[in-house]
Amino acid sequence: MTFSESTRERAREIVARYPEGRQRSALLPLLHLVQSEEGYISPDGIAFCASVLGVTKAEVSAVATFYTMYKRTPTGEWLISVCTNTMCASKGGEAAYQALVEYLGVEHDGTTPDGKITLEHAECLAACDYAPVMTVNHEYFDEVTPDMAVELAKQLQAGERPVSGRGARLCGFKEISLQLAGFPDERRGAITDGLPGEPTLAGNRLAERHGISVAGFDPDTPIPATRPAGDAGGAGKEEAKP
Ligand code: FES
Protein backbone atom coordinates (compact mmCIF):
# COMPACT_ATOMS: atom_id res chain seq x y z
CA MET A 1 0.00 0.00 0.00
CA THR A 2 1.18 3.48 -0.78
CA PHE A 3 0.52 5.81 2.09
CA SER A 4 -1.15 9.12 1.31
CA GLU A 5 0.80 12.34 1.27
CA SER A 6 -1.14 13.59 4.30
CA THR A 7 -0.06 10.51 6.25
CA ARG A 8 3.54 11.05 5.19
CA GLU A 9 3.32 14.67 6.25
CA ARG A 10 1.86 13.66 9.61
CA ALA A 11 4.62 11.07 10.03
CA ARG A 12 7.21 13.83 9.59
CA GLU A 13 5.32 15.93 12.13
CA ILE A 14 5.32 13.07 14.65
CA VAL A 15 9.04 12.40 14.25
CA ALA A 16 9.80 16.11 14.67
CA ARG A 17 8.25 16.00 18.16
CA TYR A 18 11.22 13.99 19.41
CA PRO A 19 14.75 15.23 20.04
CA GLU A 20 17.61 14.28 17.77
CA GLY A 21 18.85 10.81 18.59
CA ARG A 22 15.58 9.82 20.33
CA GLN A 23 13.37 9.71 17.31
CA ARG A 24 12.79 5.98 17.37
CA SER A 25 10.52 6.80 20.32
CA ALA A 26 8.10 8.07 17.69
CA LEU A 27 7.28 4.49 16.78
CA LEU A 28 4.21 4.19 19.02
CA PRO A 29 2.35 7.18 17.55
CA LEU A 30 3.55 6.20 14.08
CA LEU A 31 1.90 2.81 14.46
CA HIS A 32 -1.35 4.52 15.43
CA LEU A 33 -0.93 6.71 12.36
CA VAL A 34 -0.61 3.62 10.18
CA GLN A 35 -3.81 2.29 11.73
CA SER A 36 -5.53 5.60 10.96
CA GLU A 37 -4.99 4.97 7.28
CA GLU A 38 -5.07 1.18 7.00
CA GLY A 39 -7.24 0.19 9.94
CA TYR A 40 -4.53 -2.20 11.10
CA ILE A 41 -0.77 -2.75 10.97
CA SER A 42 -0.05 -4.42 7.66
CA PRO A 43 3.38 -5.55 6.44
CA ASP A 44 3.44 -2.34 4.38
CA GLY A 45 2.70 -0.35 7.52
CA ILE A 46 5.61 -2.00 9.27
CA ALA A 47 7.89 -1.22 6.33
CA PHE A 48 6.62 2.38 6.33
CA CYS A 49 7.47 2.89 10.02
CA ALA A 50 10.85 1.22 9.56
CA SER A 51 11.77 3.49 6.67
CA VAL A 52 10.55 6.66 8.42
CA LEU A 53 12.62 5.88 11.54
CA GLY A 54 15.57 4.13 9.95
CA VAL A 55 15.09 0.98 12.02
CA THR A 56 14.58 -2.61 10.93
CA LYS A 57 11.19 -4.14 10.15
CA ALA A 58 11.94 -6.71 12.85
CA GLU A 59 12.24 -3.94 15.42
CA VAL A 60 8.93 -2.44 14.33
CA SER A 61 7.27 -5.86 14.36
CA ALA A 62 8.54 -6.53 17.85
CA VAL A 63 6.75 -3.44 19.12
CA ALA A 64 3.62 -3.86 17.02
CA THR A 65 3.10 -7.42 18.22
CA PHE A 66 3.72 -6.57 21.87
CA TYR A 67 0.87 -4.10 22.38
CA THR A 68 -2.70 -5.26 21.91
CA MET A 69 -3.78 -1.81 20.71
CA TYR A 70 -2.01 -2.52 17.45
CA LYS A 71 -4.07 -4.83 15.31
CA ARG A 72 -2.45 -7.25 12.90
CA THR A 73 -5.58 -7.98 10.90
CA PRO A 74 -8.12 -5.59 9.38
CA THR A 75 -10.28 -4.16 12.15
CA GLY A 76 -13.89 -3.10 11.91
CA GLU A 77 -15.03 0.49 12.05
CA TRP A 78 -16.06 -0.26 15.63
CA LEU A 79 -13.74 -2.14 17.96
CA ILE A 80 -15.71 -3.40 20.95
CA SER A 81 -13.49 -4.46 23.83
CA VAL A 82 -15.16 -6.09 26.80
CA CYS A 83 -13.14 -6.41 29.98
CA THR A 84 -13.27 -9.96 31.26
CA ASN A 85 -10.53 -9.55 33.82
CA THR A 86 -11.15 -10.48 37.44
CA MET A 87 -13.12 -7.49 38.72
CA CYS A 88 -15.28 -7.10 35.63
CA ALA A 89 -15.77 -10.84 35.17
CA SER A 90 -17.03 -11.16 38.73
CA LYS A 91 -19.52 -8.36 38.13
CA GLY A 92 -20.92 -9.58 34.82
CA GLY A 93 -18.32 -8.73 32.17
CA GLU A 94 -18.15 -12.28 30.91
CA ALA A 95 -21.93 -12.35 30.52
CA ALA A 96 -21.82 -9.10 28.51
CA TYR A 97 -19.06 -10.53 26.34
CA GLN A 98 -20.94 -13.78 25.73
CA ALA A 99 -24.10 -11.83 24.83
CA LEU A 100 -22.11 -10.01 22.15
CA VAL A 101 -20.54 -13.25 20.90
CA GLU A 102 -24.02 -14.65 20.46
CA TYR A 103 -25.54 -11.54 18.93
CA LEU A 104 -22.69 -10.69 16.54
CA GLY A 105 -21.80 -14.29 15.70
CA VAL A 106 -18.08 -13.71 16.17
CA GLU A 107 -15.56 -14.78 18.78
CA HIS A 108 -12.54 -12.99 20.21
CA ASP A 109 -10.75 -10.93 17.54
CA GLY A 110 -13.50 -11.71 15.08
CA THR A 111 -15.04 -9.18 12.73
CA THR A 112 -18.60 -9.30 11.46
CA PRO A 113 -18.92 -10.26 7.77
CA ASP A 114 -19.85 -6.66 6.84
CA GLY A 115 -16.54 -5.49 8.34
CA LYS A 116 -18.32 -3.16 10.74
CA ILE A 117 -17.65 -4.55 14.20
CA THR A 118 -14.64 -6.30 15.70
CA LEU A 119 -15.13 -7.92 19.09
CA GLU A 120 -12.45 -8.72 21.60
CA HIS A 121 -12.28 -9.59 25.25
CA ALA A 122 -9.82 -7.35 26.98
CA GLU A 123 -7.59 -7.44 29.99
CA CYS A 124 -8.15 -4.81 32.69
CA LEU A 125 -9.18 -1.56 31.04
CA ALA A 126 -8.12 0.43 34.11
CA ALA A 127 -11.66 1.34 35.04
CA CYS A 128 -12.42 -1.30 37.68
CA ASP A 129 -14.35 1.27 39.70
CA TYR A 130 -17.06 1.10 37.05
CA ALA A 131 -16.95 -2.66 36.50
CA PRO A 132 -18.03 -4.24 34.34
CA VAL A 133 -16.80 -1.96 31.59
CA MET A 134 -16.43 -2.16 27.86
CA THR A 135 -14.98 0.26 25.39
CA VAL A 136 -15.87 1.09 21.83
CA ASN A 137 -12.86 2.47 20.00
CA HIS A 138 -11.31 3.07 23.44
CA GLU A 139 -14.22 5.15 24.80
CA TYR A 140 -15.75 3.79 28.00
CA PHE A 141 -19.18 2.39 28.69
CA ASP A 142 -19.58 1.70 32.38
CA GLU A 143 -21.48 -0.87 34.42
CA VAL A 144 -22.66 -2.65 31.31
CA THR A 145 -25.21 -5.42 31.28
CA PRO A 146 -25.63 -7.98 28.49
CA ASP A 147 -28.69 -6.08 27.24
CA MET A 148 -26.83 -2.75 27.23
CA ALA A 149 -23.92 -4.30 25.32
CA VAL A 150 -26.19 -5.75 22.63
CA GLU A 151 -28.21 -2.53 22.37
CA LEU A 152 -25.00 -0.59 21.81
CA ALA A 153 -23.97 -2.99 19.06
CA LYS A 154 -27.36 -2.50 17.42
CA GLN A 155 -26.93 1.27 17.51
CA LEU A 156 -23.54 0.97 15.83
CA GLN A 157 -24.98 -1.33 13.18
CA ALA A 158 -27.72 1.22 12.57
CA GLY A 159 -25.08 3.86 11.80
CA GLU A 160 -25.46 5.75 15.06
CA ARG A 161 -22.56 7.20 16.99
CA PRO A 162 -23.58 6.93 20.64
CA VAL A 163 -22.01 9.08 23.31
CA SER A 164 -19.66 7.29 25.66
CA GLY A 165 -20.59 7.14 29.34
CA ARG A 166 -17.84 9.65 30.09
CA GLY A 167 -16.39 10.80 26.84
CA ALA A 168 -17.20 12.19 23.47
CA ARG A 169 -19.58 10.94 20.83
CA LEU A 170 -17.93 7.89 19.30
CA CYS A 171 -15.76 8.18 16.26
CA GLY A 172 -14.58 5.43 13.93
CA PHE A 173 -11.55 3.24 14.51
CA LYS A 174 -9.42 5.09 11.97
CA GLU A 175 -10.47 8.43 13.42
CA ILE A 176 -9.59 7.45 16.99
CA SER A 177 -6.30 6.03 15.75
CA LEU A 178 -5.44 9.45 14.36
CA GLN A 179 -6.16 10.98 17.76
CA LEU A 180 -3.94 8.39 19.42
CA ALA A 181 -1.21 9.40 17.01
CA GLY A 182 -1.44 12.82 18.62
CA PHE A 183 -3.75 14.76 16.32
CA PRO A 184 -6.66 16.38 18.17
CA ASP A 185 -10.31 15.63 17.67
CA GLU A 186 -11.65 18.78 16.06
CA ARG A 187 -15.30 18.06 16.77
CA ARG A 188 -17.13 20.45 19.01
CA GLY A 189 -17.54 18.94 22.44
CA ALA A 190 -14.90 16.33 21.77
CA ILE A 191 -12.68 17.16 24.71
CA THR A 192 -13.95 15.71 27.91
CA ASP A 193 -13.45 17.40 31.20
CA GLY A 194 -15.28 17.34 34.44
CA LEU A 195 -15.56 15.96 37.90
CA PRO A 196 -14.74 12.42 38.94
CA GLY A 197 -17.64 10.06 39.49
CA GLU A 198 -18.48 8.77 42.94
CA PRO A 199 -17.22 5.20 42.32
CA THR A 200 -13.77 6.60 41.53
CA LEU A 201 -13.56 8.23 44.93
CA ALA A 202 -15.04 5.41 47.01
CA GLY A 203 -11.58 4.25 48.10
CA ASN A 204 -10.60 7.78 49.14
CA ARG A 205 -13.70 8.11 51.27
CA LEU A 206 -13.07 4.77 52.93
CA ALA A 207 -9.47 5.75 53.66
CA GLU A 208 -10.60 9.10 55.00
CA ARG A 209 -13.16 7.49 57.27
CA HIS A 210 -10.53 5.17 58.72
CA GLY A 211 -7.75 7.77 58.86
CA ILE A 212 -5.55 5.94 56.39
CA SER A 213 -3.13 7.82 54.16
CA VAL A 214 0.07 7.13 52.30
CA ALA A 215 3.33 8.55 53.62
CA GLY A 216 3.75 12.21 52.82
CA PHE A 217 0.10 12.72 51.90
CA ASP A 218 -1.78 15.43 53.73
CA PRO A 219 -4.89 13.69 55.05
CA ASP A 220 -6.66 17.04 55.11
CA THR A 221 -6.48 17.30 51.33
CA PRO A 222 -10.13 17.78 50.34
CA ILE A 223 -11.75 15.11 48.23
CA PRO A 224 -12.97 16.77 45.05
CA ALA A 225 -16.64 17.14 44.31
CA THR A 226 -18.20 14.44 42.20
CA ARG A 227 -20.52 14.74 39.28
CA PRO A 228 -24.14 13.77 39.87
CA ALA A 229 -25.09 10.15 39.15
CA GLY A 230 -26.18 9.78 35.52
CA ASP A 231 -24.17 12.80 34.40
CA ALA A 232 -21.87 11.68 31.57
CA GLY A 233 -19.43 14.36 32.60
CA GLY A 234 -17.60 16.93 30.54
CA ALA A 235 -18.36 18.12 27.09
CA GLY A 236 -19.11 14.66 25.77
CA LYS A 237 -22.77 15.43 26.27
CA GLU A 238 -22.67 18.12 23.66
CA GLU A 239 -23.63 17.46 20.11
CA ALA A 240 -20.54 16.78 18.05
CA LYS A 241 -20.04 18.16 14.61
CA PRO A 242 -20.68 15.53 11.97
S1 FES B 1 -10.94 -5.57 35.75
FE1 FES B 1 -12.18 -4.63 34.25
S2 FES B 1 -11.49 -2.59 34.20
FE2 FES B 1 -10.20 -3.55 35.64
Side-chain angles (χ1 to χ4, degrees):
M1 173 179 183
T2 305
F3 285 88
S4 65
E5 186 46 44
S6 66
T7 292
R8 291 175 183 281
E9 177 56 38
R10 284 179 171 133
R12 288 190 283 273
E13 195 178 323
I14 288 171
V15 172
R17 295 174 191 156
Y18 294 84
E20 202 61 42
R22 307 290 290 273
Q23 291 173 324
R24 59 191 294 149
S25 299
L27 179 54
L28 297 180
L30 276 177
L31 286 166
H32 285 301
L33 182 69
V34 165
Q35 289 198 143
S36 78
E37 179 149 345
E38 294 196 294
Y40 73 114
I41 309 293
S42 69
D44 284 348
I46 286 175
F48 174 71
C49 292
S51 84
V52 167
L53 294 175
V55 298
T56 67
K57 288 189 275 187
E59 287 173 305
V60 176
S61 280
V63 174
T65 54
F66 182 80
Y67 295 104
T68 56
M69 288 176 83
Y70 302 122
K71 303 303 178 191
R72 303 304 305 278
T73 53
T75 301
E77 183 180 5
W78 307 108
L79 171 65
I80 299 182
S81 312
V82 185
C83 178
T84 52
N85 216 310
T86 310
M87 181 67 80
C88 287
S90 69
K91 297 195 74 177
E94 186 64 37
Y97 175 73
Q98 288 302 333
L100 285 168
V101 167
E102 199 169 310
Y103 174 71
L104 295 171
V106 296
E107 298 275 352
H108 172 65
D109 263 349
T111 298
T112 52
D114 60 3
K116 282 267 183 215
I117 296 179
T118 297
L119 176 66
E120 66 178 5
H121 63 75
E123 297 301 321
C124 180
L125 292 168
C128 316
D129 41 350
Y130 287 95
V133 296
M134 58 185 262
T135 59
V136 178
N137 292 345
H138 308 298
E139 296 282 8
Y140 285 102
F141 290 85
D142 303 327
E143 297 171 344
V144 291
T145 64
D147 286 348
M148 285 165 62
V150 169
E151 179 56 32
L152 187 56
K154 287 179 179 173
Q155 290 175 2
L156 297 172
Q157 287 174 321
E160 297 173 28
R161 292 186 169 216
V163 179
S164 152
R166 47 199 161 106
R169 186 170 296 284
L170 294 181
C171 59
F173 183 72
K174 291 181 178 177
E175 294 167 315
I176 198 72
S177 295
L178 188 59
Q179 291 178 44
L180 290 170
F183 297 92
D185 188 345
E186 303 289 354
R187 297 175 301 164
R188 180 165 55 86
I191 296 177
T192 305
D193 191 9
L195 300 169
E198 185 59 33
T200 304
L201 295 176
N204 297 55
R205 296 202 192 287
L206 204 58
E208 185 184 53
R209 200 178 316 141
H210 294 280
I212 300 168
S213 64
V214 295
F217 178 77
D218 178 0
D220 292 329
T221 303
I223 294 176
T226 56
R227 63 176 185 263
D231 183 337
K237 293 178 293 180
E238 295 181 21
E239 196 60 34
K241 282 181 192 168

